[in-house]
C-alpha cells in the first residue's frame, strides 16, 4: 500500500464507555502512518458519547473528524463517513470493537502481495473462520457463495477500496440487519474477497452473539429477515441461480430455527437454575 492511505470510519451511538478503547486501538496501530483520517459519525447519541468524543485530541498526521447527525441507523452513519472519505481505502470499525495492533500492517502485506485485492478481512476473537461448507484457509481469495454460508467477514475486520464501496452505493440505508454482508458479498461477487485466517479484531467487548438476549445480533427475527432480503438481492443480481436460491433460503430457515431453539433452551436453563437456587 505504498503511497496509499486509509480513511477509518467509526459509527457511534450511546457508547461513551467503549469509544475511547476503540479509538485507541486505531491510534495504536503499528502502521499508523497508513491512516490519513478518522471519521467518527455520532448517530444521535443521547448519553455522554459526544462529550467523550470531544475529549479526543487531534493526532499529528491524522485528521480526526466528528460528524453529528440525528439517529438514522448504522447504515446511514457509515454512509455519511463514506461520503466524506478522502482516501483510496476505507477501514471500518464499530465503537465496541478494537483492532489488534498489527491489523493494518498484516493486511497491508497481503494487499502489496496481491495487487488485485479490492476487499480484505480477517478473523475476530479467537476463532478460525471456516470457508464455505467445510473449508479452512490460512489466507486467500474466497468466492462470494462461500461467504453466504458462514456470513462473514465481520465489519470491523474489513478494508476495501473506496471506489468499490461507492460502486455499489455503500450500505443499504433501509437495512439495519445483515447490511454489511449485503455490501461485502456484492463486492466479492465482482472482485473476489481476500480472507486472512488470523485474529485481527476483538469483537464486541462482551457483546452477545446471535441468539443472545441483548445487542444488535440478539434480534434473531430481524436478523433472519435481513438474511432473506440479502438472498433475494443475490438472486436478482445473479450470484445465486434459482436452485441455489431455494437451497440457501431453506438452509437459512434451518439456521433460524436452530437459533430459536438455542434461545429457548437458554431461557429454560436460566429459569431452572433460578428455581433450584
Amino acid at each position: 500500500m505504498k503511497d496509499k492511505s486509509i480513511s477509518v470510519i467509526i459509527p457511534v451511538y450511546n457508547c461513551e464507555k467503549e469509544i475511547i478503547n476503540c479509538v485507541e486501538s486505531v491510534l495504536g496501530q503499528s502502521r499508523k502512518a497508513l491512516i490519513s483520517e478518522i471519521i467518527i459519525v455520532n448517530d444521535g447519541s443521547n448519553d455522554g458519547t459526544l462529550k467523550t468524543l470531544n475529549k479526543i485530541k487531534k493526532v499529528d498526521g491524522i485528521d480526526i473528524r466528528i460528524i453529528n447527525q440525528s439517529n438514522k441507523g448504522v447504515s446511514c452513519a457509515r454512509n455519511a463517513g463514506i461520503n466524506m472519505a478522502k482516501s483510496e481505502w476505507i477501514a471500518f470499525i464499530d465503537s465496541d470493537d478494537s483492532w489488534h495492533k498489527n491489523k493494518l500492517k498484516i493486511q497491508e502485506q497481503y494487499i502489496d502481495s496481491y495487487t488485485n485485492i479490492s476487499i480484505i478481512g480477517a478473523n475476530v476473537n479467537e476463532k478460525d473462520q471456516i470457508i464455505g461448507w467445510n473449508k479452512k484457509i490460512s489466507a486467500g481469495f474466497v468466492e462470494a457463495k462461500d461467504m453466504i454460508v458462514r456470513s462473514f467477514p465481520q465489519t470491523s475486520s474489513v478494508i476495501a477500496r473506496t471506489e468499490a464501496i461507492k460502486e455499489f452505493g455503500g450500505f443499504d440505508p433501509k437495512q439495519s440487519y445483515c447490511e454489511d454482508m449485503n455490501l461485502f458479498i456484492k463486492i466479492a461477487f465482482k472482485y473476489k474477497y481476500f480472507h486472512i485466517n488470523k485474529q485481527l479484531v476483538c469483537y464486541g467487548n462482551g457483546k452477545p452473539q446471535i441468539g443472545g438476549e441483548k445487542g444488535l445480533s440478539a434480534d434473531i427475527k430481524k436478523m433472519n429477515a435481513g438474511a432473506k432480503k440479502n438472498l433475494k438481492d443475490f438472486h436478482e443480481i445473479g450470484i445465486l441461480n434459482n436452485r441455489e436460491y431455494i437451497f440457501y433460503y431453506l438452509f437459512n430457515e434451518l439456521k433460524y430455527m436452530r437459533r430459536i431453539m438455542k434461545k429457548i433452551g437458554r431461557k429454560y436453563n436460566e429459569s431452572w437454575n433460578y428455581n433450584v437456587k
Side-chain angles (χ1 to χ4, degrees), residues 22-247:
C22 170
V23 174
E24 286 180 347
S25 78
V26 174
L27 296 177
Q29 289 294 295
S30 58
R31 281 290 284 142
K32 186 172 66 175
L34 292 171
I35 303 171
S36 65
E37 59 182 356
I38 299 174
I39 304 172
I40 304 174
V41 184
N42 178 34
D43 190 42
S45 298
N46 52 32
D47 65 348
T49 296
L50 182 57
K51 183 178 180 180
T52 301
L53 291 175
N54 288 331
K55 294 179 181 178
I56 298 175
K57 297 180 180 179
K58 185 176 179 64
V59 178
D60 290 341
I62 299 179
D63 181 21
I64 299 179
R65 286 183 281 169
I66 300 173
I67 304 171
N68 292 300
Q69 64 178 34
S70 58
N71 183 251
K72 299 177 182 178
V74 66
S75 292
C76 286
R78 291 190 184 120
N79 286 344
I82 291 168
N83 291 335
M84 294 193 67
K86 300 176 181 178
S87 305
E88 186 171 350
W89 294 82
I90 289 177
F92 299 101
I93 180 170
D94 290 341
S95 59
D96 52 355
D97 296 342
S98 58
W99 284 346
H100 184 282
K101 66 178 182 179
N102 290 324
K103 176 187 182 291
L104 298 185
K105 178 181 179 180
I106 293 171
Q107 290 181 310
E108 176 194 22
Q109 292 171 348
Y110 284 101
I111 291 172
D112 285 344
S113 298
Y114 299 86
T115 56
N116 57 334
I117 289 178
S118 289
I119 179 170
I120 182 171
N123 293 358
V124 300
N125 298 346
E126 297 178 1
K127 185 178 180 180
D128 287 334
Q129 178 64 58
I130 302 300
I131 309 299
W133 297 102
N134 194 28
K135 293 185 290 185
K136 179 180 175 183
I137 59 173
S138 57
F141 286 102
V142 178
E143 297 290 340
K145 292 178 184 178
D146 287 336
M147 299 165 67
I148 296 174
V149 180
R150 303 288 176 175
S151 297
F152 72 97
Q154 195 267 349
T155 309
S156 296
S157 75
V158 169
I159 299 177
R161 291 186 185 274
T162 305
E163 62 181 17
I165 294 171
K166 291 185 176 181
E167 178 181 350
F168 291 92
F171 297 89
D172 186 343
K174 297 180 180 179
Q175 187 173 350
S176 56
Y177 290 80
C178 304
E179 77 291 335
D180 45 1
M181 293 302 98
N182 190 289
L183 174 62
F184 298 155
I185 290 175
K186 286 177 180 177
I187 295 175
F189 180 57
K190 182 170 183 178
Y191 297 107
K192 287 192 177 182
Y193 162 76
F194 194 95
H195 189 80
I196 305 170
N197 205 1
K198 182 178 293 186
Q199 180 194 359
L200 299 182
V201 176
C202 178
Y203 169 77
N205 294 319
K207 180 167 55 182
Q209 302 289 325
I210 293 174
E213 298 300 320
K214 300 177 182 178
L216 180 63
S217 298
D219 196 332
I220 54 179
K221 184 176 181 180
K222 292 183 179 179
M223 289 284 288
N224 182 54
K228 288 195 291 187
K229 188 260 186 188
N230 285 351
L231 291 176
K232 182 179 179 181
D233 287 354
F234 300 154
H235 178 239
E236 288 178 351
I237 65 176
I239 297 178
L240 300 175
N241 60 35
N242 292 339
R243 183 179 297 178
E244 290 169 334
Y245 172 68
I246 294 172
F247 176 80

